[in-house]
Every structure is written in C-alpha cells, then in structure tokens.
Amino acid sequence: MLKRVGGSPWLLVFIFFAVLFWRVASLQLLPDPRVERQSSRQYWSRVPVSTNRGFIYDIKGNALALSVPTSSFFLDPAFWNPSDASALKGILPESIVKTISSSLPGRFFWLVRKTDEVTAGKIRGLKLKGIYEINEKKRLYPNKSLLAHVLGFCNIDDKGLSGIELVWDKILFSPPGYKVLAKESSGRTIDISRYSHEERTAGPGSVTLTVDSRIQFIIEKRLEEGIREHKAKWGSIICLDPNSGAIVGMASWPSFDPNVRESLKNLKLIMNNSIGRTYEPGSTFKPVIMGIALERGAVRLNESFKCPYRIKVADGHISEASNRSYGRLSVSEILVKSSNTGMAQVGMRVKPFDMYYSVREWGFGKNPGVELNGVEDGLLSTPEQWRGVVPSNIAIGQGLAITPLHLASAIAAIANNGYLLRPFIVSQATDSSGQVIYRGERQVVREVLSPRTASWLRKVMVDVVKKGTGKQADLPFVSIAAKTGTGQVAEKGEYLKGKWVSSFGGFWPAENAQYVMLVVIGEPTRGKYYGGDVAAPVFRSIVEDIYQTGLLVKAAADW
C-alpha cells in the first residue's frame, strides 16, 4: 500500500487543477506569438468617406457645382516600411513624407484625400506595401473661377464653408458614408460594405441660381480687363433684373478657383467685394439724395442753384471735382454735370433726421437680404452725429459706406418706377425628393419714389450719358440711363491722398429697363480715376457684349 503524500490525496488533486487552470489562463491571456502575429495582420476598420453633394445650377440648368468620383489613399502602419517613404517624394507634400519616414502608431493614417488622377496614378504605380486606395466623391466646379465668390467652397469633407455652399448646406450636404474594410493576412484590403448612413435620405437636394452663366462670363471678363488696364486694387460688378430683384450676374475681383484648395487660404481672394466690401459711393449716390429731396418737397423741379467752385458749409467746405465754377444750374443740370456745390445745397434743404430715415428707407445701413453669407450692412451714422458739414457730405456721397449691392438695388428702384426690391440670387431650392422648398420671387421692401419722380430721374440719367459725365458709356443702338461716381478712400477718419473708387451705375433700355448694372473699380493707379473715364467704358463694353450674344430678353421670364 502506497504511502499518501502529505498524508492526504487532495494535495495531488489541487496541484493538478492548478496546473490546468494556469495553462488555460495562459492560452487565453498570453496567446501564442505566432497566433498574435497572424491576428495582428487581420482587422476590421470603419472609415468615413464623402458621398454625393447636391448640384448647384444656373438659371439655364447648367451645372455650376457637382460631385465626381475621386481617389483617396491611406497607410496601414502594420504593413508599412518607413524606408519606402522616399519613393513618395515629389508626389506627396514634404510634411507627409517626413511623417511616414518613421514608425507610426495605430492602423490607419491618411496619405492624401481626393487627389487628382495624375497623383493617384503615380501612387498606384509604386505598388508600395501598406498603401491602400479608397473611392470617394469630390466637389468639382467645372467653370473654375466663374462665379466663385457666389458659389463659395467646401472643406475636405464636403461641408460648405462659404457662399451658396454654406448658406444652403442643409440642402446640399449629404452625410458621410462609411466603408467597412477587412484586411486579409496577406495585407489585401477588402471592401465589404457600400456607403451607408443610418439617417441618410434618398439623396441631397439642389439649388438653382438666378444667375445666367453667359452674362456672368461677360462681366467677369470685362471686369478683369478694366482692373488690369487701370492697375486697380479691387473691383465689383452687379447685374440684376430691376423688375424682380433677381441677380443675373455678380462678379468680384480678385478672384480664385475653388478647385484649387491652396487659394482658399488667401482672404483677399475669397472676399466677395459685391457684398462684403464697403466704400464711399461718391456721385453715384446723388440720384438717391435728389429723389429724397423731391419726394419731401424740399426742392422743386423748376428751381436753379448758384454753383460756385467752392462753398463754405458750417465747419467745412464743399468743392467741385472739376476745379471750376458752374454758375447757375437747374436741378437736372446739377445731376448731369455732377455738381458737388449744387448737391450740397440740395442736401441742406432736408432736415438731418428726415434725410437719415429716408436714406434708411432706401435700404442703406441695413442688410439687403440676399441669400449669401458675409453681407455687410454698411455704415450710416445716426442723425445726432449729422452736425456741421456732414449733411452736405452725405448729399455728395461722402461720410457713409455702402456695398455695391446696396447701390445696385437703389438704382433698380429708379429704373422700376420707384420700388425698392429685395435682391435675391436663388431661383429655387429642392429637397432630396425633388420638392421645391424655397422659391426666390419679387418682394417689395417699400415704395421709395413716386412714379413721377422716378420718371424724371430716369430722363436726367439719360442726359448724364448723352451730354454729361457719362458720355463714354453712350451707345447708338440703345438708350442708357446712368450716373458716374468718384469716391475718396478714407482710413482712420482721413481721406488718403491719390486713392479713389471709380464707379458707374445705370440701366438699359432706359425707357423700359431690363438690366441694372453697377461697375466699381477700386483704387486705380494709372492716372485716370474719374468714374466716367474708368468704369463707364467697362459698362459700355458689357452692354455691347450682351447685345451681340442676343441676351437682351425679358430676364424675369427665366424664373
């Protein structure tokens, strides 16, 4: 009979189960290195990728912004050899190459997203182990810089950051989908899913603009020509339908190509001067002041004013830009010759509080309400500050700041018989089911002129072009009504010497206007700076181009 170890058989039983438990635990908690290496080369990954974003169209149905297939590449550090990074020099940014030249943590690292086909082809051609390709969608602007400031742009994940892309992002944005990627032990990536999103609807909506791409092309081309001819700092052109308020063209210079992401870092390029830059309008503001004075009964049409070269007004002086005296001028001649001393006297006829509230009624100092971001209200001091020479300065377009859109809308009120309309640039927006959820339409803000006063102003503005300061815009085949303007540039409360803003705003045909247009050339530097010399020729060239392309049709018929 065997002697029991320790006097009890239970010790052996305990040792047996202890060894068994240790072995099971070690297999579970400390797997075989061979198994660990094998499993580490297999994984599942859920990668967010961009999907289709809604289209943006012009009024004729031409696509201005759309989504197209593109390639993105990522790196799996588990399969990547840092020594291969040198092969990507000249293909990827130096910062990326430097990062992947050393060991990386994790299992996923973006190399490049939504790259062009040339770059994608070069990466594919290297066939480097550890680099994998994913198909995404990229925002494309087929006309490059055309209407760039209006359309705006998106970030890398197709979220709108500016312009129509931002304001209508809820309509255009399609939530990111996800690709579920499985990795075989060989390193091959398998896409085992389609784009998916739990809350995704049938698809994004779309936005149709009131802009006509043909007119937009013309005004952008002529604006750049004018800018370069006079070596100006900035520029803006707005063309709209005075009978509806629809914007058919909006150009800003300098411009940019939203397809080139590097250009989006330059704030000077992406700023929309038509709505985001304020300036002193100068004499283009005079028809507004004259209209207010006539409507308030402060001036009669049969009156005349003595207009010397220089007059003293309270604590300041008002001088003629032409450096000469005009003698006695009728009310209409004051506008035709753009007399500063004459307009100053007209402005002083209206009480400051009355003038302030009338200017506000014309939309100045307020947001004009267009469906874009970055719209400035302008600057209009309160009537308590209208002391001394200030009312006379306001009368000649100084001492206040406006945007080109403000003035274009005001000129439209003269053209359409006295109605200030809300400007709009979106014809309609549809949701994912094709249902129209927004429609741009004529909206009267208020009646600012009587038909009689509006008619009189139109006739006077025709004379401005025929025999006044706007002669360089005159054309034999169409009647144009307009007003020139030359504003000074103010900085820190003082006017800068030799810096001007040249402008020309008007409409055609004068007797039944179908288009209103304002041309603004900021800070020309090659000698000429009067609006009649700098901006009026640009206006004339655009009108000629529109006629030659057969676009003189009733604009409102398009929406």
Side-chain angles (χ1 to χ4, degrees):
M1 184 174 180
L2 294 174
K3 186 178 181 181
R4 294 180 180 180
V5 179
S8 171
W10 297 110
L11 180 61
L12 292 175
V13 174
F14 174 79
I15 293 174
F16 172 78
F17 279 103
V19 171
L20 180 62
F21 176 79
W22 175 85
R23 182 56 178 164
V24 172
S26 64
L27 288 176
Q28 295 297 319
L29 301 178
L30 301 172
D32 189 297
R34 293 170 298 175
V35 176
E36 188 177 32
R37 285 194 299 270
Q38 180 74 3
S39 61
S40 69
R41 305 179 77 84
Q42 299 175 336
Y43 79 105
W44 296 67
S45 182
R46 192 168 182 255
V47 181
V49 292
S50 59
T51 55
N52 279 320
R53 184 175 171 85
F55 279 46
I56 303 175
Y57 302 98
D58 77 348
I59 194 63
K60 297 296 183 181
N62 300 305
L64 301 172
L66 63 153
S67 295
V68 296
T70 187
S71 295
S72 296
F73 293 85
F74 72 92
L75 180 150
D76 181 356
F79 292 87
W80 174 245
N81 185 348
S83 64
D84 290 336
S86 59
L88 292 167
K89 288 184 177 180
I91 300 176
L92 297 179
E94 187 62 33
S95 59
I96 296 295
V97 175
K98 183 179 179 180
T99 300
I100 63 176
S101 295
S102 56
S103 298
L104 296 172
R107 299 300 307 273
F108 187 93
F109 179 82
W110 279 118
L111 285 179
V112 62
R113 293 193 62 190
K114 303 183 181 183
T115 187
D116 59 89
E117 188 55 35
V118 173
T119 301
K122 291 179 180 179
I123 297 175
R124 291 190 202 104
L126 294 174
K127 297 181 179 179
L128 295 177
K129 187 177 181 181
I131 293 179
Y132 305 96
E133 181 176 356
I134 292 180
N135 294 322
E136 290 196 86
K137 292 295 179 67
K138 178 173 71 173
R139 200 59 165 168
L140 176 68
Y141 305 91
N143 298 307
K144 298 183 178 179
S145 63
L146 189 77
L147 201 64
H149 296 91
V150 171
L151 295 174
F153 50 87
C154 302
N155 65 12
I156 194 68
D157 293 309
D158 281 352
K159 284 287 290 181
L161 297 180
S162 177
I164 294 295
E165 297 279 32
L166 171 63
V167 176
W168 297 90
D169 191 57
K170 289 184 178 180
I171 298 297
L172 298 170
F173 180 63
S174 181
Y178 293 92
K179 277 196 171 184
V180 179
L181 305 176
K183 193 74 63 72
E184 290 183 330
S185 58
S186 64
R188 185 168 69 94
T189 300
I190 304 174
D191 181 3
I192 60 173
S193 71
R194 293 186 175 184
Y195 294 110
S196 63
H197 191 278
E198 291 80 357
E199 300 178 359
R200 188 176 176 189
T201 59
S206 65
V207 174
T208 300
L209 305 182
T210 58
V211 173
D212 188 317
S213 294
R214 297 168 297 178
I215 292 179
Q216 183 68 26
F217 175 81
I218 291 170
I219 66 176
E220 287 193 18
K221 176 184 176 183
R222 294 303 186 183
L223 176 61
E224 183 171 2
E225 289 175 354
I227 291 285
R228 298 197 182 283
E229 178 182 352
H230 298 282
K231 203 174 180 181
K233 183 178 179 180
W234 63 275
S236 165
I237 296 179
I238 295 176
C239 185
L240 54 82
D241 175 9
N243 302 300
S244 67
I247 297 171
V248 298
M250 178 182 283
S252 178
W253 195 96
S255 190
F256 67 99
D257 183 350
N259 296 301
V260 182
R261 301 201 64 82
E262 291 76 13
S263 66
L264 307 184
K265 300 176 183 178
N266 190 331
L267 297 181
K268 292 182 179 179
L269 295 182
I270 65 177
M271 177 181 179
N272 187 345
N273 292 316
S274 296
I275 59 173
R277 181 185 288 271
T278 59
Y279 70 105
E280 292 194 357
S283 297
T284 48
F285 197 64
K286 289 175 180 176
V288 174
I289 298 298
M290 187 65 80
I292 292 172
L294 290 170
E295 288 295 301
R296 286 191 170 271
V299 175
R300 299 186 306 275
L301 294 179
N302 60 356
E303 279 192 88
S304 62
F305 292 80
K306 186 178 180 180
C307 303
Y309 159 67
R310 184 181 178 90
I311 61 173
K312 180 172 176 56
V313 180
D315 57 341
H317 292 84
I318 300 293
S319 302
E320 297 289 7
S322 60
N323 295 322
R324 65 185 180 89
S325 172
Y326 285 115
R328 185 162 290 277
L329 296 177
S330 66
V331 175
S332 62
E333 288 173 329
I334 288 174
L335 287 179
V336 172
K337 296 182 181 295
S338 199
S339 170
N340 287 339
T341 58
M343 279 304 306
Q345 294 174 70
V346 170
M348 287 188 292
R349 292 274 192 94
V350 183
K351 295 178 180 179
F353 274 83
D354 291 340
M355 182 65 79
Y356 170 81
Y357 287 112
S358 293
V359 170
R360 291 272 295 177
E361 286 179 348
W362 278 73
F364 298 100
K366 300 179 180 180
N367 190 311
V370 70
E371 313 97 320
L372 290 170
N373 70 304
V375 182
E376 289 288 340
D377 293 349
L379 298 173
L380 183 65
S381 58
T382 59
E384 292 82 5
Q385 298 173 289
W386 288 30
R387 303 187 186 95
V389 75
V390 172
S392 295
N393 284 335
I394 296 292
I396 63 173
Q398 293 183 339
L400 78 163
I402 67 172
T403 69
L405 182 58
H406 281 106
L407 186 54
S409 298
I411 295 172
I414 299 173
N416 68 25
N417 233 24
Y419 295 97
L420 179 68
L421 305 178
R422 180 187 70 86
F424 64 98
I425 200 166
V426 175
S427 174
Q428 69 175 30
T430 60
D431 63 14
S432 58
S433 64
Q435 181 179 355
V436 176
I437 59 174
Y438 173 86
R439 193 182 301 278
E441 57 188 7
R442 184 178 189 268
Q443 181 179 329
V444 177
V445 178
R446 66 177 47 84
E447 186 176 4
V448 292
L449 291 172
S450 65
R452 179 173 178 267
T453 303
S455 176
W456 181 84
L457 283 172
R458 289 196 295 272
K459 292 177 182 177
V460 173
M461 292 172 72
V462 170
D463 287 341
V464 170
V465 177
K466 290 293 183 182
K467 53 186 179 183
T469 56
K471 290 179 181 178
Q472 292 200 53
D474 193 24
L475 287 170
F477 53 83
V478 63
S479 58
I480 295 174
K483 184 69 186 76
T484 57
T486 310
Q488 293 178 271
V489 177
E491 186 176 294
K492 296 180 181 179
E494 295 184 359
Y495 288 113
L496 301 178
K497 186 177 180 180
K499 290 187 178 294
W500 308 88
V501 176
S502 309
S503 57
F504 191 86
F507 45 90
W508 75 98
E511 60 279 0
N512 182 26
Q514 295 184 29
Y515 294 107
V516 164
M517 186 163 64
L518 175 66
V519 178
V520 184
I521 307 293
E523 300 181 38
T525 60
R526 284 187 172 169
K528 296 180 179 180
Y529 58 87
Y530 286 120
D533 295 327
V534 176
V538 176
F539 189 103
R540 182 190 62 231
S541 296
I542 293 171
V543 176
E544 288 178 322
D545 289 345
I546 290 177
Y547 264 78
Q548 290 174 2
T549 52
L551 290 174
L552 187 63
V553 295
K554 190 64 177 176
D558 287 329
W559 39 78

